Amino acid sequence: MLETTWFLLWGILWAVYFALDGYDLGLGMNMPFLAQGETDKRIIYNAAGPFWDGNQVWLVTAGGVTFAAFPATYAVLFSSLYTPLLLLLFALIFRGVSYEFRRKVDSDSWRKFWDGCNVLGSFLPALLFGVAFANIFMGIPLNAQQINEGNLLTLLNPYGLAGGVLFVVMFSMHGSLWLAVKSSGELEKRATNLARKMWGAVLTMVVLFLALSVLYTNLFDNYMNNPALFIVLVLPVTGLILTRKYLDNGEQWKAWASSAVGIIGVTLFGIIGLFPKLLPSTIDPAYSMTIANSASSTLTLQIMLGVALTFVPLVIAYQTWVHIRFGHKITQEDLEYEEAY
Amino acid sequence: MDVLLLSRLQFAMTTFVHFIFVPLTLGLSLLVAYMELKFVRSGDETYRRMAKFWGKLFLINFALGAVTGIALEFQFGTNWSRYSAYVGDIFGSLLAIEATLAFFLESTFLGVWIFGWNKLSPKMHNAAIWLVALAANLSAFWIIMANGWMQNPVGYVFGDGRAELGSFMSLISNEFAWHQFIHVLSASYVLSGFFVLGISAYHIAKGSNVDFFKKSFRIAAPFTLIFAIVVVVQGHSHGATVAKYQPEKLAAMESHWETRTQAPQYLLVIPDPSNQRNRLELFPIPGGLSMLAYHDFNAEVKGLNDFPREDHPPVMTTFLSFRTMVALGFLFPILAVWVWFKRKTPEDSPLLLRILPWIIPLPYIAVQLGWIVAEMGRQPWIVYGMMRTSEAVSPGITTAQVAGSLAGFMAIYGLLVALCVFLLSKYGRKGPAPAPAVQE
């Protein structure tokens, strides 16, 4: 029971991470398509400004919780995905620093360099997270010693790539929606239009991904064995439908929130299908990493549960407050603000 | 070059670079929060400008500290998977608690502080930076509890082929870890203090924004003095905990080979590790080492030759790092006392003003050397007495993978350090934004 609780919490942490960092990664990768000039770029940077750092901590926590609650899986997962994870890390480093450094030197080539870092540092993580999670859903060739026999190319299979594209389009839509919340005028219009286009792409990719999941994964076994679980699919479906509805009504905040629900739903759909495995083996199901063979001791899980149940709601409360407090449209005055990006 | 060696190099390099940025954020966040508090209380615009100016230097460091920290978390899984699986129950939970309790708070409210100058009331805005400072230091607490456990594992039981948590209370009341925490924290405050003093001295000497920088100087002076004394006094008792829990490390720090009572402290030693002795030992203080290690001139101090050869830490590195750190550690209180006497009229002491900017790198060197003593001195163990570093490395990763990532880290971290130094000196030299014109 304790292990199952932690499995769910683990899934929720990743889902919330994608829903939050998803929009600022989306902002970064949309920049080349949406920004026409320096002011637009600065609006895009400042749309993420007060939030991106706090959002990224969800990744640190999701990683830390994998380490703490399922150490053996953390060990196998991270060493198996060595190269993609380090690429991801490098991308996130450049993205993080680009925010802080971009305005520190008044030179076009300096800004161009950091813009490049931000765009690439946003696109790559979106893609890599998608590829990684699709491969986790599908499983990797773990042998009896729980060592990955595959390599980087093994990860770039059709299903993995579909996962990558799915994440890219989901985050792109999510980022456009947040930009629509934070901007006005022409940029807001362009952001809304991109979100509409991306909505179609997300819908296509979700359908394709579900279809491929039938072919490539065992995710549906849990759902077939326990059809009540299909109710989880209500989340992404409702999220996606409401996103479109609010987008057409011009209710940007609600559209963005619905898209967040959609991302959480898509992630949880996969995570629940995975249960009780954390990382399946494609060589032999018996070699898989599961909650049974990788959970921490009861005492650790109990203490951490106490910490998580006390502090995660608190984190959600203060981060919600920050989003509301700083969720206004960016004005000229905001851009002239000394500390603005 | 094998996976083990490359992984060690990579971890060492990424840790050192991470710890270039972290100590300044620990102390400077407190100083900035205090400056802003003075603004809230007095309404004196200079203090607000101070919080902004020093805050900008803080932010450059914070961004780099945060992004380089994630690299460490990742590497436990990517490069040290055997370690992660073996001790994740304990070590992993401390990292997870750090993220949940501290890092969230720090990162979220830092965003609030940066963007909230015009959006929040002055008190609320000041509360944000106090939360950041508190969280930064709380973060350090959890991380050092984790590292302290690697130094002196406590509160665990063996079960299921790994170390499992036995008692959370013993984990967070680990004597060794608490000593380390206070030592690292006070050293970081000294570093932050000299950072502020050095930049302030530079501007006072130049005659630019003198009032502004004299006020900064005056705030940093007592802060630096207090912690420069703490770090030395407490460092001594930390040494005693090393003697108690890690006798091999102590012997390596002192290049002490033969077990003996009334062990002298030699002021000059040239180690000769390949022959397991010292080439030269001069100026002994009788019983000095016994006294320093065990508070007893007659105590027996075990020498390295009484430990199995395969358990010896690298003597030369540990010894030299320790000696240099201690020498620097004695220099700081002396300078800090001088600063203290001149805190009201630093402009009257051109010599002090000329010296201080050059002091800025020294505490950085001292804290890095301190970590070398702590981490190299713990070798060959990754968890002292429990797990060897060679047993901790990931199976199934290749030399090519690690060589590739190491090359990537070297290029990227090299760039980041260069940028950090460039930006800090650019903004440090530039001085604060001009005071706003008085409203009509």
Side-chain angles (χ1 to χ4, degrees):
Chain A
M1 192 55 211
L2 196 56
E3 282 90 348
T4 307
T5 311
W6 266 110
F7 180 87
L8 271 178
L9 270 174
W10 172 79
I12 290 170
L13 283 172
W14 281 107
V16 174
Y17 168 66
F18 292 141
L20 286 177
D21 218 16
Y23 75 80
D24 47 58
L25 293 173
L27 282 170
M29 60 188 174
N30 286 342
M31 197 151 62
F33 308 106
L34 292 178
Q36 296 178 349
E38 175 64 10
T39 310
D40 287 353
K41 282 184 188 164
R42 290 197 51 214
I43 291 172
I44 290 174
Y45 275 97
N46 284 290
F51 319 104
W52 72 271
D53 202 1
N55 292 346
Q56 194 170 259
V57 181
W58 287 90
L59 171 64
V60 179
T61 310
V65 159
T66 317
F67 194 175
F70 304 105
T73 295
Y74 181 76
V76 172
L77 183 68
F78 274 61
S79 55
S80 297
L81 302 181
Y82 191 93
T83 306
L85 277 176
L86 284 159
L87 277 177
L88 171 79
L89 181 69
F90 293 157
L92 288 174
I93 287 175
F94 276 111
R95 177 187 72 132
V97 175
S98 72
Y99 281 99
E100 194 49 58
F101 284 3
R102 184 180 189 271
R103 245 193 114 204
K104 290 283 185 283
V105 174
D106 186 22
S107 132
D108 280 337
S109 50
W110 173 270
R111 279 187 289 265
K112 228 181 209 151
F113 174 75
W114 292 114
D115 287 344
C117 290
N118 191 282
V119 174
L120 210 60
S122 302
F123 169 73
L124 270 182
L127 182 74
L128 289 167
F129 273 122
V131 172
F133 268 77
N135 276 286
I136 290 171
F137 294 159
M138 186 175 75
I140 60 171
L142 286 182
N143 63 23
Q145 282 75 45
Q146 287 164 331
I147 291 172
N148 178 21
E149 289 189 353
N151 53 41
L152 190 58
L153 292 176
T154 330
L155 300 173
L156 299 177
N157 54 69
Y159 187 65
L161 289 173
V165 176
L166 171 67
F167 270 47
V168 167
V169 294
M170 267 195 326
F171 290 179
S172 167
M173 178 179 84
H174 202 40
S176 314
L177 290 169
W178 185 250
L179 186 59
V181 170
K182 290 288 290 176
S183 63
S184 45
E186 279 303 307
L187 186 59
E188 180 190 356
K189 257 185 220 149
R190 284 200 295 275
T192 318
N193 282 339
L194 184 64
R196 273 208 192 91
K197 275 184 208 150
M198 281 299 153
W199 188 86
V202 173
L203 184 70
T204 315
M205 281 315 298
V206 167
V207 173
L208 181 70
F209 191 73
L210 285 177
L212 288 174
S213 299
V214 178
L215 284 176
Y216 281 90
T217 74
N218 299 321
L219 289 181
F220 282 101
D221 290 1
N222 281 344
Y223 293 87
M224 291 305 179
N225 295 337
N226 193 351
L229 283 177
F230 273 110
I231 205 157
V232 176
L233 271 179
V234 171
L235 271 183
V237 172
T238 316
L240 211 53
I241 293 172
L242 285 181
T243 304
R244 183 73 205 196
K245 182 185 158 236
Y246 290 131
L247 192 54
D248 290 340
N249 292 351
E251 295 178 88
Q252 293 149 338
W253 257 103
K254 289 181 182 169
W256 171 77
S258 306
S259 155
V261 170
I263 293 174
I264 291 174
V266 168
T267 315
L268 287 183
F269 160 76
I271 300 272
I272 286 170
L274 204 56
F275 180 83
K277 295 190 179 105
L278 289 145
L279 181 61
S281 164
T282 49
I283 295 179
D284 181 341
Y287 303 155
S288 301
M289 302 307 298
T290 66
I291 64 171
N293 67 14
S294 73
S296 275
S297 69
T298 307
L299 182 60
T300 293
L301 293 180
Q302 281 169 342
I303 289 171
M304 287 211 321
L305 192 62
V307 170
L309 293 183
T310 317
F311 286 92
V312 172
L314 197 65
V315 172
I316 293 175
Y318 61 64
Q319 291 204 340
T320 307
W321 174 78
V322 174
H323 277 82
I324 294 170
R325 199 76 186 68
F326 293 89
H328 54 82
K329 291 208 179 280
I330 293 168
T331 60
Q332 194 53 39
E333 190 193 346
D334 291 306
L335 290 181
E336 281 159 15
Y337 177 65
E338 224 184 311
E339 273 78 17
Y341 288 141
Chain B
M1 293 283 235
D2 57 0
V3 168
L4 173 66
L5 187 63
L6 289 170
S7 292
R8 285 187 65 188
L9 270 176
Q10 178 171 294
F11 199 84
M13 194 204 69
T14 49
T15 319
F16 282 141
V17 174
H18 178 58
F19 214 72
I20 291 174
F21 308 119
V22 173
L24 186 65
T25 63
L26 294 178
L28 196 54
S29 58
L30 285 170
L31 290 170
V32 169
Y34 179 72
M35 288 165 184
E36 196 179 339
L37 179 69
K38 295 212 47 145
F39 163 66
V40 173
R41 286 206 174 145
S42 68
D44 181 346
E45 188 64 23
T46 312
Y47 289 113
R48 197 178 69 90
R49 287 167 63 223
M50 273 162 70
K52 282 200 168 186
F53 170 76
W54 296 108
K56 188 168 262 171
L57 302 182
F58 165 74
L59 289 175
I60 293 168
N61 267 267
F62 178 86
L64 290 162
V67 293
T68 53
I70 306 177
L72 303 184
E73 185 193 7
F74 271 46
Q75 278 178 87
F76 288 117
T78 50
N79 295 72
W80 305 102
S81 69
R82 287 245 157 91
Y83 169 79
S84 299
Y86 195 73
V87 305
D89 200 62
I90 295 166
F91 188 86
S93 58
L94 291 170
L95 294 196
I97 291 174
E98 184 261 346
T100 317
L101 254 66
F103 197 32
F104 264 128
L105 198 63
E106 189 181 3
S107 301
T108 310
F109 282 95
L110 190 63
V112 171
W113 188 73
I114 300 172
F115 287 87
W117 281 102
N118 301 339
K119 298 249 180 300
L120 302 173
S121 74
K123 272 188 187 164
M124 283 274 280
H125 190 262
N126 189 214
I129 188 76
W130 278 113
L131 283 173
V132 170
L134 174 84
N137 285 279
L138 190 63
S139 208
F141 172 80
W142 290 106
I143 294 303
I144 290 179
M145 285 301 126
N147 184 274
W149 188 82
M150 298 166 83
Q151 305 285 349
N152 176 40
V154 291
Y156 66 89
V157 288
F158 286 113
D160 205 11
R162 64 179 182 192
E164 291 186 351
L165 184 60
S167 154
F168 191 69
M169 272 317 287
S170 355
L171 196 60
I172 57 169
S173 59
N174 186 351
E175 186 193 355
F176 195 98
W178 271 93
H179 269 282
Q180 241 190 317
F181 174 60
I182 296 167
H183 196 65
V184 172
L185 215 59
S186 42
S188 302
Y189 294 168
V190 173
L191 178 148
S192 311
F194 276 113
F195 183 85
V196 173
L197 290 170
I199 293 176
S200 300
Y202 168 84
H203 284 279
I204 296 168
K206 255 187 23 179
S208 65
N209 291 290
V210 173
D211 175 52
F212 178 99
F213 284 106
K214 272 178 73 180
K215 278 187 166 134
S216 305
F217 193 93
R218 214 171 150 178
I219 286 176
F223 183 79
T224 314
L225 178 64
I226 292 168
F227 291 104
I229 294 170
V230 170
V231 82
V232 171
V233 174
Q234 187 271 341
H236 162 70
S237 54
H238 183 31
T241 56
V242 174
K244 184 170 161 191
Y245 294 107
Q246 299 183 327
E248 297 101 310
K249 185 191 275 181
L250 180 89
M253 280 154 65
E254 297 289 354
S255 189
H256 177 66
W257 296 95
E258 300 301 332
T259 301
R260 60 172 293 185
T261 54
Q262 294 177 10
Q265 174 75 49
Y266 295 101
L267 295 184
L268 183 66
V269 174
I270 300 180
D272 182 9
S274 45
N275 295 313
Q276 296 187 262
R277 62 184 181 86
N278 291 328
R279 194 164 292 152
L280 191 72
E281 293 176 334
L282 285 178
F283 314 121
I285 302 168
L289 182 55
S290 295
M291 176 62 198
L292 285 173
Y294 298 102
H295 302 129
D296 172 4
F297 284 107
N298 295 314
E300 180 185 274
V301 183
K302 252 184 133 180
L304 276 168
N305 289 338
D306 275 358
F307 295 100
R309 190 78 196 259
E310 69 269 20
D311 289 352
H312 287 195
V315 174
M316 205 54 155
T317 320
T318 314
F319 169 82
L320 285 177
S321 306
F322 179 65
R323 289 256 159 155
T324 315
M325 175 189 77
V326 170
L328 288 169
F330 279 113
L331 175 68
F332 299 140
I334 296 168
L335 276 168
V337 169
W338 188 6
V339 165
W340 165 259
F341 280 114
K342 299 288 175 195
R343 70 192 184 282
K344 288 177 189 158
T345 52
E347 68 277 18
D348 292 349
S349 185
L351 180 62
L352 180 64
L353 294 182
R354 230 187 354 260
I355 291 173
L356 281 173
W358 295 100
I359 299 301
I360 295 175
L362 297 184
Y364 280 93
I365 295 170
V367 294
Q368 298 283 0
L369 292 173
W371 277 113
I372 292 178
V373 175
E375 301 292 276
M376 289 281 272
R378 194 190 57 229
Q379 300 302 324
W381 304 102
I382 189 164
V383 183
Y384 184 74
M386 181 191 285
M387 185 184 215
R388 284 176 193 275
T389 310
S390 56
E391 300 164 336
V393 75
S394 300
I397 57 171
T398 62
T399 313
Q401 278 178 317
V402 190
S405 63
L406 179 60
F409 272 118
M410 279 161 65
I412 293 170
Y413 278 34
L415 178 71
L416 293 183
V417 172
L419 283 172
C420 180
V421 172
F422 163 67
L423 288 175
L424 285 182
S425 67
K426 173 181 150 92
Y427 280 93
R429 270 174 227 257
K430 192 174 158 198
V438 180
Q439 302 270 316
E440 296 291 318

